[in-house]
Amino acid sequence: MAWTDERIDQLKSMWEKGMTASQIAEELGGVSRNAVIGKAHRLGLQSRPSPVREGKDDAVVPAAAPAEPRAETAPRPAPAPRVALPAPERPAPAAAAPDAPPAPPQPQIRSIGPGGFLRQAPGETSAPIPPAPPRRLVPAKPSPEIAGKTSLLDLNERICKWPLGHPGEPDFHFCGAPVNPGFPYCVAHCGQAYQAQLPRRDRRPPPPLPFGGPRVR
DNA sequence: CCCTGATTCGC
DNA sequence: GCGAATCAGG
């Protein structure tokens, strides 16, 4: 899959929103997590707190580190906080200071409501029209019967995909046991899914189907 | 084990 | 430029 301008824009946008490389890769499709990370770096996107990178630095850095061990990598400023909430408190607008320049627009005191929207500030007359916080959409759980069972959405490389029940039934789900490595099913279901091929002479011809079933070669 | 991002290096 | 492999940490 090629890095088209559109996909690069999507990558930039999602990276800056703070989505993980895995999420971005999944969303874009056709690329791996590593590809996303590699591309992000090549694009010069700002790196983010990595579990690896921030291993040390207590009081060590300011104390004795004017000498740069590596002159190549520019010093990375501390990552900005992902959300900047308005200051919790503000002094009243300067009515007692006639000489003071006009106060810059003051951030309103707002609180966060359920769902992440910004509540209207007290005394605020016009609706703030809160920008909906970017949220990652996740599929809703289909039905209560499926609770605790392995649904289609739970499938991955390492759990058994053997279907139990039938699609459309309320409790249709999948086995979910750990797979037999290298196979899509657990050991038990591999036993059902795969059968040793017998020599021709040992094969029993299938009984004739009443409706003239699929042709057997 | 699962996950994360960073880095390297052969292509 | 690309991304799998690898590293290193949570």
Side-chain angles (χ1 to χ4, degrees):
Chain A
M1 189 75 69
W3 282 110
T4 62
D5 287 350
E6 186 188 5
R7 287 163 64 78
I8 289 176
D9 282 344
Q10 292 174 10
L11 164 59
K12 282 182 183 170
S13 157
M14 289 188 273
W15 184 271
E16 281 155 15
K17 274 193 234 162
M19 290 174 62
T20 68
S22 299
Q23 289 172 328
I24 296 172
E26 190 184 340
E27 204 95 347
L28 287 175
V31 285
S32 70
R33 177 182 82 89
N34 277 317
V36 167
I37 292 175
K39 186 60 182 173
H41 280 232
R42 265 172 258 125
L43 288 170
L45 296 185
Q46 184 164 13
S47 51
R48 299 187 261 151
S50 148
V52 175
R53 191 74 159 161
E54 290 185 292
K56 41 109 189 157
D57 85 60
D58 268 333
V60 184
V61 171
E68 299 261 329
R70 290 268 179 269
E72 301 178 14
T73 49
R76 183 162 42 94
R82 204 158 282 156
V83 290
L85 287 180
E89 202 161 339
R90 277 284 171 174
D99 300 343
Q106 299 289 327
Q108 294 288 338
I109 303 172
R110 297 209 181 95
S111 58
I112 308 294
F117 66 87
L118 289 177
R119 285 205 175 94
Q120 189 173 7
E124 201 173 20
T125 50
S126 63
I129 312 185
R135 311 205 136 245
R136 188 166 144 76
L137 300 178
V138 295
K141 281 285 176 189
S143 76
E145 289 91 338
I146 222 74
K149 309 238 180 101
T150 303
S151 81
L152 179 66
L153 301 174
D154 300 325
L155 293 183
N156 63 40
E157 290 294 327
R158 60 196 89 84
I159 66 176
C160 177
K161 301 176 179 60
W162 190 267
L164 299 173
H166 302 280
E169 292 176 356
D171 68 338
F172 174 62
H173 62 286
F174 295 88
C175 168
V179 293
N180 186 14
F183 294 90
Y185 309 120
C186 65
V187 173
H189 286 134
C190 274
Q192 290 186 243
Y194 304 102
Q195 297 182 17
Q197 177 129 50
L198 295 173
R200 250 181 223 203
R201 64 171 188 279
D202 296 336
R203 272 186 242 168
R204 304 193 44 172
L209 294 171
F211 48 84
R215 227 174 255 282
V216 179
R217 279 181 231 273

